[in-house]
Amino acid sequence: MRQELRLSSGTGHEPGEMRPGGRTARNREAVCRATLRELATRDYAGLTVESVAEQAGVHKTTVYRRWGGVDGLIVDALQYAVDDDWQPDLTGTVDGNLLRFARIALDSFTDPETGPTHAAVVAAAFQSERAIDAVHSFFADRFGRASAIVEAAIERRELPPNTDAVGVIRCVMAPIYFRLFISREQVDEADVEQAVQAALAAARAGTFGIPE
Amino acid sequence: MRQELRLSSGTGHEPGEMRPGGRTARNREAVCRATLRELATRDYAGLTVESVAEQAGVHKTTVYRRWGGVDGLIVDALQYAVDDDWQPDLTGTVDGNLLRFARIALDSFTDPETGPTHAAVVAAAFQSERAIDAVHSFFADRFGRASAIVEAAIERRELPPNTDAVGVIRCVMAPIYFRLFISREQVDEADVEQAVQAALAAARAGTFGIPE
């Protein structure tokens, strides 16, 4: 989703900050945006503290002191990317809400601005243990938020009680990620609809039931 | 599956070969095996014609002449890896056959010998257009063969007629690949069973119906 790996301004507050919008916050925003851009254009192997510092207009000793190195930059850039206030739309049916969620995600993967960053972050996890941790947290956060769609559907009795909400969200997104980043197949609107319908059929059949 | 990216001897015949087991065939086997090993230990960025030639005990000018370069090596190594005679087990129910297929695949991903090669091939596709083509062909071949499981089930009326067999296979494997290579989550036996049950529930509900 365009908001998922946002390249817009940050809202995160943290201990080192004097105030939101202060120099520390501005530096973080510049460095995280530069890291995401550099990841998208050069990939993990080409990412250096020097290139990020130059792109961000921040002295490289500041970057080394605050972020430690390349892995620290990736972890914080991903954290920055998810530090937004995105929440899923819960109006309408579970079919429509999941379809909207999946479409926004697909748009962000195919968007010329945010798409390469998504791919670079997935690729970085093949080369860096800390990137794996960051990706893991990223999905825990995103899928956790999206699972409100499934929880609302359980409440409205559209899906069985005890349905594992994150399991349903993963089932919707897995074939889309698989086609894009593993089997390298085209993904169109019909594929997104099929992914949603497959996940819902499985959920209705009780496949994602959490044992009592 | 252990057979999927096999590191055992080849059976492929091709125009440049004098006879199976001749020097050309032995060179191909040595070079492809070295490429798969090098990919697994160094990844795409570290793969060189020189290192493959040295590992294979073949002169580097031979490698350059026959494979052109690193991308040609990856394409042929993947082709070599799928040139086997693996066929799915069709005895038993569709549930059991799909579960066996998915378990073999998971074993090959977590096997210390074949696992790193799988990961390296998926990772290479982030860096090379020719690796994308090779991965694409690899899945078309593997999923095409595994789809015999679904076709047998349709014939036995376990699944609706007009079910897209490859769609069902992709639905089984996508969450397993997603957990391993995208969200970086553990995959256990229960996850494999859930992936099979979800795909079957969706197939029985008609989600993978091909329009007449």
Side-chain angles (χ1 to χ4, degrees):
Chain A
M1 48 233 74
R2 183 176 273 277
Q3 306 96 314
E4 188 172 335
L5 281 171
R6 80 210 159 94
L7 298 169
S8 57
S9 73
T11 56
H13 300 201
E14 48 183 65
E17 255 169 49
M18 288 170 294
R19 61 180 192 280
R23 190 166 59 115
T24 307
R26 281 199 309 275
N27 276 354
R28 184 189 179 214
E29 183 181 334
V31 166
C32 288
R33 293 184 62 167
T35 301
L36 293 171
R37 267 199 312 272
E38 288 283 290
L39 260 183
T41 50
R42 292 174 192 253
D43 87 31
Y44 177 78
L47 191 73
T48 65
V49 168
E50 285 71 16
S51 63
V52 168
E54 195 186 320
Q55 290 285 321
V58 173
H59 201 280
K60 69 178 181 183
T61 56
T62 305
V63 177
Y64 274 115
R65 194 173 57 238
R66 182 156 171 199
W67 284 273
V70 165
D71 283 342
L73 284 171
I74 291 173
V75 171
D76 198 42
L78 255 182
Q79 195 52 53
Y80 167 82
V82 300
D83 255 0
D84 64 12
D85 52 5
W86 176 83
Q87 295 296 340
D89 188 350
L90 302 178
T91 60
T93 64
V94 65
D95 300 59
N97 294 341
L98 284 177
L99 197 54
R100 207 155 33 245
F101 167 66
R103 275 192 196 128
I104 292 170
L106 178 59
D107 284 349
S108 81
F109 299 142
T110 53
D111 182 282
E113 191 192 336
T114 55
T117 301
H118 273 289
V121 167
V122 173
F126 284 94
Q127 298 178 278
S128 152
E129 284 295 325
R130 289 194 67 190
I132 289 178
D133 293 343
V135 165
H136 194 110
S137 305
F138 173 81
F139 281 105
D141 174 87
R142 273 297 132 163
F143 284 13
R145 290 195 223 180
S147 67
I149 294 172
V150 179
E151 280 151 15
I154 294 168
E155 219 154 278
R156 288 192 303 255
R157 299 175 186 269
E158 290 180 284
L159 294 176
N162 299 322
T163 299
D164 171 20
V166 170
V168 177
I169 298 298
R170 191 192 289 105
C171 189
V172 170
M173 295 309 300
I176 298 171
Y177 276 97
F178 178 80
R179 284 172 178 268
L180 287 172
F181 296 122
I182 310 275
S183 64
R184 306 279 170 175
E185 298 168 88
Q186 289 289 317
V187 186
D188 61 23
E189 172 68 19
D191 299 316
V192 173
E193 281 174 26
Q194 188 182 68
V196 169
Q197 287 312 314
L200 283 172
R204 287 177 182 130
T207 308
F208 302 110
I210 304 164
E212 306 261 2
Chain B
M1 46 233 71
R2 184 175 271 278
Q3 304 96 314
E4 186 170 339
L5 281 173
R6 81 213 157 91
L7 298 169
S8 57
S9 73
T11 56
H13 301 200
E14 48 183 66
E17 254 170 50
M18 288 170 295
R19 61 178 191 280
R23 189 167 58 117
T24 307
R26 283 199 308 274
N27 275 354
R28 184 189 179 212
E29 183 181 334
V31 166
C32 287
R33 292 183 62 166
T35 301
L36 293 171
R37 268 200 310 272
E38 287 284 289
L39 259 183
T41 51
R42 292 172 191 254
D43 88 30
Y44 177 79
L47 190 74
T48 64
V49 168
E50 285 71 16
S51 62
V52 168
E54 194 187 319
Q55 290 285 319
V58 172
H59 201 280
K60 71 177 179 182
T61 55
T62 305
V63 177
Y64 275 115
R65 193 173 59 239
R66 182 156 171 198
W67 285 272
V70 165
D71 282 341
L73 285 171
I74 292 173
V75 172
D76 198 42
L78 256 182
Q79 194 52 52
Y80 167 82
V82 300
D83 256 0
D84 65 12
D85 52 6
W86 175 84
Q87 295 295 341
D89 188 351
L90 302 179
T91 60
T93 63
V94 66
D95 300 58
N97 295 340
L98 284 177
L99 197 53
R100 207 156 34 242
F101 166 66
R103 275 192 196 127
I104 292 171
L106 178 60
D107 285 349
S108 82
F109 299 142
T110 53
D111 182 282
E113 191 192 335
T114 55
T117 302
H118 272 291
V121 167
V122 173
F126 284 94
Q127 299 178 277
S128 151
E129 284 294 325
R130 290 194 66 188
I132 289 178
D133 293 343
V135 166
H136 194 111
S137 305
F138 173 81
F139 282 105
D141 174 86
R142 273 296 131 165
F143 283 14
R145 290 195 222 181
S147 67
I149 295 172
V150 179
E151 280 151 15
I154 295 169
E155 219 154 279
R156 289 192 302 255
R157 298 173 187 270
E158 291 180 284
L159 293 176
N162 298 322
T163 298
D164 171 21
V166 170
V168 177
I169 299 298
R170 191 192 289 106
C171 189
V172 169
M173 295 309 299
I176 299 172
Y177 276 96
F178 178 80
R179 283 172 179 270
L180 288 172
F181 297 121
I182 310 275
S183 64
R184 305 280 171 174
E185 298 167 89
Q186 289 289 317
V187 186
D188 61 22
E189 173 68 19
D191 299 316
V192 172
E193 281 174 27
Q194 188 182 67
V196 169
Q197 289 311 315
L200 283 173
R204 287 177 182 131
T207 308
F208 302 110
I210 304 165
E212 305 261 2

